[in-house]
């Protein structure tokens, strides 16, 4: 409650002092699993892009389990003092008790009944992080989420002012500065029902009835135009993917289950994609990239537990379709500049999926501009598989194209309002992937309701922003939203990853991670995550700036900016 009131007071002061509305702090509310930031029609938290006014300035933006959300701390490199990010827990007497109870890995400290003093000593350990600007890796340029049928449906129900807050929170520079959306070609699992173009007439290879977009697309286009205006975007990148062809094109004549595209419709399915691209361009909403299809393995091996729209491909068949149909159809059309991404499925299929494609059609991979990965089973296999794919195809972009929490049997199927842990899962995943050649990340649904839907097969999951579909008067920004924002907001297109290394990671209990970038204006952005229930001291050694010392609170993450 204390935090809530402090925040509320801040808000009032900010309004009274005439603070610009793009600088309002989070209106923190304690909920079932932690704290969320509440927005309503008249109030929503934003942060203007921090400017580094002189070359010795350092700006740290922080979020923490204890309630910091994009808190800005400013200091100077030259004054030698460590820059301390203040958080409630530093001064809170309850901190030690809470730390011991919450952190299972350290529970032995409590059992062993070790005096607090010793525990505190352990907390002030210093981690050395070297930052080598000369060692440069991939560019990072794409951040976004999915504008599914569900998202479109939920946003339409909100009052106009709240719609603006959703768009601005995600796409405006004062929000988290996304620049891309993913959308389905036809329906997806997050829709009110399965659907595709030209469902009727059946057995119609010329797609005679696919002459205009669906009303659901027109609604999305109207919303995306609004999103572009609110976000002040010159260009909105749109990535399209199809979940399933209309049933008549498929071997099982169904939306889901074990079913593949009938080979007599390979060219029809390529034409279907081209028509979608042309119709979207005609509405002044051109598509930037498409994939070869969402999660192809769902219709081959995943059909036991996947009950939503899917269409199966083996890599060998898909190589034939890409090489003989989709690739040439797109490249020889007015849409030839549209990028094509392959796979669009889980990490464990890398890199063998592409090797199998090559074995089936040796030129098929030349039609691919990029590789698309979904994060759902990342725990099963390491990022080395992505590194291998990158080594074999170094020129191709790599994007994560889908992520959410709540799909696994052992997880809550739906939102956990305020869950810091879920935010931390995102923090660890983004950090890991961006340290392994990824050029960006597209999250799944931009918004969901309190249940994690609506979804026509009850496949409920979490999202970075949850809308109150009951009152339609509030939206809740989850810790996940800020986890993503610590990357997307501070990494403008053409930021390049630079070498960062933690030099003193001695014991396995330590949960500290870092990934660093040089931004187009030359400044450095480091994203540092402290997963411990203890504060840490961080001694940065930048190859051009020398020493920079920070003291960071427990269970927190930070974006550190300096020139
Ligand atoms: C919106 O939120 C602000 C900040 O918490 C509050 O002062 C205001 O009363 C709320 N407005 C409505 C209509 O609930
Ligand atoms: C812990 O800190 C105290 C006070 O700084 C010091 O006297 C003591 O030796 C330290 N203990 C250990 C184990 O480092
Ligand atoms: C064309 O599609 C529309 C919309 O799905 C449908 O109502 C109509 O019956 C279809 N036309 C034919 C000839 O099947
Ligand atoms: C690719 O496959 C074609 C047809 O199977 C064959 O003629 C050609 O030699 C192959 N090219 C390479 C580089 O292996
Ligand atoms: C960013 O990297 C990707 C993958 O290597 C590349 O395709 C793209 O052209 C790069 N963008 C720029 C502007 O350098
Ligand atoms: C949504 O609004 C309703 C009605 O005001 C309220 O009872 C409910 O607690 C809200 N949901 C959440 C998750 O806060
Ligand atoms: C900082 O890094 C440089 C190499 O980039 C090294 O020479 C120097 O000793 C390091 N300083 C500290 C304090 O570790």
């Amino acid at each position: 409650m204390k935090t809530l009131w402090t925040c509320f007071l801040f808000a009032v002061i900010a309004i009274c002092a005439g603070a610009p509305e793009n600088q309002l702090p989070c209106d923190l509310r304690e909920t079932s699993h932690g704290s969320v930031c509440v927005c309503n029609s008249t109030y929503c938290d934003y942060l203007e892009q921090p400017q580094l006014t002189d070359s010795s300035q350092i700006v740290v933006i922080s979020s923490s389990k204890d309630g910091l959300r994009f808190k800005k701390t400013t200091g100077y490199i030259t004054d030698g003092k460590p820059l301390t990010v203040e958080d409630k827990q530093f001064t809170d007497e309850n901190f030690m008790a809470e730390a011991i109870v919450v952190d299972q890995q350290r529970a032995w400290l409590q059992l062993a009944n070790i005096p607090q003093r010793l525990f505190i000593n352990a907390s002030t350990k210093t981690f050395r992080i070297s930052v080598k600007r000369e060692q440069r890796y991939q560019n990072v340029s794409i951040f976004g989420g999915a504008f599914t049928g569900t998202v479109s449906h939920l946003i339409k129900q909100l009052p106009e002012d709240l719609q603006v807050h959703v768009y601005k929170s995600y796409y405006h520079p004062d929000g988290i500065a996304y620049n891309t959306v993913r959308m389905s070609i036809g329906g997806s699992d997050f829709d009110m029902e399965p659907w595709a173009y030209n469902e009727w007439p059946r057995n119609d290879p010329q797609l005679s009835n696919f002459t205009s977009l669906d009303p659901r697309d027109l609604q999305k286009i109207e919303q995306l135009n609004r999103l572009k205006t609110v976000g002040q975007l010159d260009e909105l990148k749109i990535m399209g993917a199809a979940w399933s062809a209309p049933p008549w094109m498929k071997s099982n004549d169904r939306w889901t289950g074990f079913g593949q595209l009938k080979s007599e419709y390979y060219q029809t399915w390529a034409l279907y994609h081209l028509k979608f691209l042309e119709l979207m361009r005609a509405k002044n909403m051109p598509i930037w990239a498409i994939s070869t299809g969402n999660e192809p393995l769902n219709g081959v091996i995943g059909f036991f537990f996947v009950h939503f729209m899917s269409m199966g491909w083996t890599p060998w068949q898909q190589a034939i379709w890409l090489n003989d149909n989709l690739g040439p159809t797109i490249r020889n059309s007015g849409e030839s500049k549209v990028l094509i991404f392959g796979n669009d499925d889980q990490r464990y299929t890398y890199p063998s999926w592409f090797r199998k494609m090559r074995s089936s059609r040796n030129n098929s991979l030349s039609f691919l501009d990029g590789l698309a990965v979904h994060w759902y089973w990342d725990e099963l296999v390491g990022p080395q598989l992505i590194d291998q794919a990158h080594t074999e195809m170094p020129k191709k972009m790599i994007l994560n194209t889908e992520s959410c929490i709540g799909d696994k049997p052992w997880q809550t199927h739906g939102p956990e309002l305020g869950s810091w842990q879920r935010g931390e899962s995102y923090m660890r995943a983004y950090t890991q992937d961006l340290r392994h050649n990824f050029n960006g990340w597209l999250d799944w649904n931009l918004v969901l309701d309190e249940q994690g839907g609506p979804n026509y097969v009850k496949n409920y999951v979490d999202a970075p922003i949850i809308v109150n579909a009951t009152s339609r008067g509030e939206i809740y920004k989850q810790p996940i939203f800020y986890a993503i924002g610590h990357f997307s907001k501070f990494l403008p297109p053409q930021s390049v990853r630079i070498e960062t290394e933690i030099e003193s990671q001695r014991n396995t209990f330590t949960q500290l991670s870092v990934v660093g970038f040089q931004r187009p204006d030359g400044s450095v952005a480091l994203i540092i995550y402290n997963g411990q229930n203890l504060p840490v001291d961080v001694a940065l050694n930048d190859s051009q700036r020398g020493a920079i010392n920070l003291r960071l609170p427990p269970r927190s993450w930070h974006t550190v900016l300096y020139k």
Side-chain angles (χ1 to χ4, degrees):
M1 273 321 272
K2 203 162 70 187
T3 332
L4 179 66
W5 275 106
T6 315
C7 202
F8 179 71
L9 280 177
F10 263 130
V12 171
I13 292 164
I15 293 167
C16 297
E21 68 173 25
N22 43 8
Q23 288 282 31
L24 295 176
C26 159
D27 178 10
L28 202 68
R29 181 183 297 171
E30 281 175 35
T31 47
S32 50
H33 293 80
S35 302
V36 294
C37 298
V38 182
C39 295
N40 62 24
S41 288
T42 55
Y43 192 95
C44 200
D45 56 304
Y46 295 103
L47 174 71
E48 273 185 357
Q49 286 290 340
Q51 303 298 324
L52 296 164
T53 47
D54 82 61
S55 63
S56 66
Q57 203 175 43
I58 173 162
V59 173
V60 182
I61 308 296
S62 306
S63 300
S64 72
K65 180 167 187 280
D66 199 36
L68 303 183
R69 297 291 184 271
F70 282 168
K71 178 195 156 130
K72 186 166 131 187
T73 310
T74 305
Y76 290 89
I77 297 175
T78 41
D79 67 11
K81 282 183 295 194
L83 184 69
T84 301
V85 175
E86 304 283 352
D87 198 0
K88 192 178 102 213
Q89 288 192 344
F90 269 125
T91 51
D92 197 338
E93 286 150 21
N94 299 333
F95 164 57
M96 295 314 301
E98 192 188 328
I100 292 174
V101 173
V102 171
D103 192 340
Q104 289 161 355
Q105 286 177 330
R106 286 183 179 270
W108 58 274
L109 282 172
Q110 190 183 29
L111 295 177
N113 205 16
I114 291 168
Q116 283 192 2
R117 227 155 38 96
L118 191 62
F119 195 45
I120 292 167
N121 284 359
S123 74
T124 53
K125 194 178 342 179
T126 300
F127 293 91
R128 298 189 183 287
I129 297 178
S130 63
V131 180
K132 298 188 182 109
R133 296 198 201 190
E134 297 71 25
Q135 181 63 51
R136 293 162 69 86
Y137 299 92
Q138 84 278 15
N139 68 64
V140 174
S141 302
I142 304 292
F143 287 103
F147 214 96
T148 61
T150 296
V151 170
S152 176
H153 169 84
L154 284 172
I155 288 180
K156 191 172 189 302
Q157 294 180 350
L158 295 176
E160 168 70 16
D161 290 339
L162 216 39
Q163 295 184 15
V164 166
H165 285 315
V166 171
Y167 298 146
K168 187 173 173 187
S169 293
Y170 274 120
Y171 285 87
H172 193 278
D174 297 339
I176 60 169
Y178 272 2
N179 52 33
T180 305
V181 294
R182 182 168 181 245
M183 71 181 277
S184 53
I185 301 174
S188 77
D189 47 324
F190 273 84
D191 247 299
M192 301 305 115
E193 59 180 355
W195 64 277
Y197 307 103
N198 214 112
E199 287 176 43
W200 304 95
R202 292 170 56 87
N203 312 324
D204 174 20
Q206 299 311 315
L207 300 173
S208 59
N209 201 15
F210 186 7
T211 50
S212 61
L213 292 167
D214 188 271
R216 285 163 279 205
D217 294 320
L218 302 181
Q219 177 173 305
K220 282 183 197 167
I221 289 169
E222 200 184 311
Q223 291 169 324
L224 290 175
N225 274 320
R226 189 85 184 99
L227 179 154
K228 278 174 75 168
T229 307
V230 170
Q232 297 176 1
L233 293 167
D234 298 331
E235 188 204 357
L236 175 68
K237 289 191 158 72
I238 305 175
M239 184 170 204
W243 264 242
S244 172
W248 58 264
M249 287 191 209
K250 296 167 68 179
S251 57
N252 62 347
D253 202 1
R254 290 179 57 209
W255 288 113
T256 187
F258 181 74
Q260 283 147 287
L261 189 70
K262 290 178 171 174
S263 56
E264 66 259 40
Y265 293 127
Y266 273 22
Q267 186 54 33
T268 303
W269 189 229
L271 179 66
Y272 183 99
H273 283 76
L274 178 59
K275 283 197 172 204
F276 174 76
L277 298 178
E278 289 170 345
L279 290 166
M280 286 296 285
R281 186 178 299 280
K283 293 285 178 196
N284 201 22
M285 197 56 76
I287 301 293
W288 165 70
I290 56 171
S291 85
T292 44
N294 180 70
E295 297 186 353
L297 284 178
N298 286 350
V300 181
I301 55 170
F303 60 93
F304 287 113
F305 46 91
V306 169
H307 304 292
F308 50 78
M309 288 176 72
S310 66
M311 188 167 77
W313 285 108
T314 66
W316 300 282
Q317 293 166 321
Q318 200 175 60
I320 295 170
W321 175 64
L322 175 63
N323 188 75
D324 299 359
N325 307 101
L326 182 73
T329 299
I330 300 295
R331 295 290 173 249
N332 297 326
S333 75
E335 299 295 327
S336 61
K337 297 262 167 22
V338 172
L339 305 184
I340 303 177
F341 280 71
N343 189 274
D344 217 2
D345 212 328
Q346 319 301 332
R347 180 195 274 177
Y348 60 74
T349 65
Y350 280 67
S352 66
W353 179 272
F354 298 100
R355 291 177 186 161
K356 287 168 182 155
M357 283 182 71
R358 192 189 279 117
S359 75
S360 161
R361 280 290 189 279
N362 60 17
N363 196 40
S364 59
L365 300 182
S366 73
F367 288 104
L368 295 181
D369 302 284
L371 317 178
V373 193
H374 293 192
W375 88 328
Y376 298 106
W377 297 95
D378 276 9
E379 294 88 353
L380 292 184
V381 291
Q384 296 74 20
L385 297 185
I386 303 297
D387 292 339
Q388 284 173 29
H390 176 68
T391 305
E392 290 173 24
M393 298 168 280
K395 293 230 167 73
K396 300 203 196 299
M397 278 184 91
I398 307 180
L399 290 183
N400 191 299
T401 47
E402 212 185 286
S403 55
C404 69
I405 303 180
D407 59 307
K408 307 286 189 310
W410 56 88
Q411 295 170 338
T412 307
H413 299 304
E416 286 187 348
L417 275 183
S419 169
W420 189 254
Q421 249 183 333
R422 287 189 165 185
E424 287 179 317
S425 298
Y426 268 68
M427 179 50 61
R428 282 193 294 269
Y430 275 58
T431 301
Q432 183 186 70
D433 275 1
L434 292 174
R435 290 185 67 94
H436 288 272
N437 301 302
F438 279 74
N439 299 99
W441 189 299
L442 304 179
D443 190 42
W444 191 216
N445 296 283
L446 290 173
V447 297
L448 289 174
D449 69 13
E450 305 97 312
Q451 195 177 17
N455 178 293
Y456 70 87
V457 283
K458 300 190 168 58
N459 181 28
Y460 302 129
V461 296
D462 213 331
I465 296 183
I466 300 301
V467 309
N468 190 326
T470 316
S471 73
R472 302 180 185 180
E474 289 180 340
I475 61 172
Y476 310 107
K477 295 186 188 171
Q478 296 262 52
I480 292 171
F481 175 85
Y482 297 89
I484 298 172
H486 271 272
F487 297 90
S488 61
K489 181 177 174 72
F490 305 105
L491 300 178
Q494 301 321 315
S495 295
V496 173
R497 183 165 80 84
I498 54 176
E499 178 75 342
T500 50
E501 199 184 339
I502 301 175
E503 289 174 350
S504 40
Q505 197 136 34
R506 275 188 300 260
N507 73 59
T508 50
F509 287 134
T510 306
Q511 295 166 307
L512 193 82
S513 68
V514 62
V515 59
F517 302 87
Q518 183 144 40
R519 306 197 296 173
D521 69 357
S523 61
V524 168
L526 306 176
I527 293 93
I528 302 177
Y529 161 54
N530 176 16
Q532 311 181 89
N533 281 307
L534 302 164
V536 293
D537 285 338
V538 170
L540 296 172
N541 180 9
D542 181 282
S543 56
Q544 286 175 25
R545 299 310 305 252
I548 302 172
N549 295 308
L550 307 169
R551 172 164 289 193
L552 306 176
R555 298 292 286 274
S556 62
W557 51 66
H558 310 267
T559 303
V560 180
L561 304 169
Y562 60 90
K563 283 190 180 168

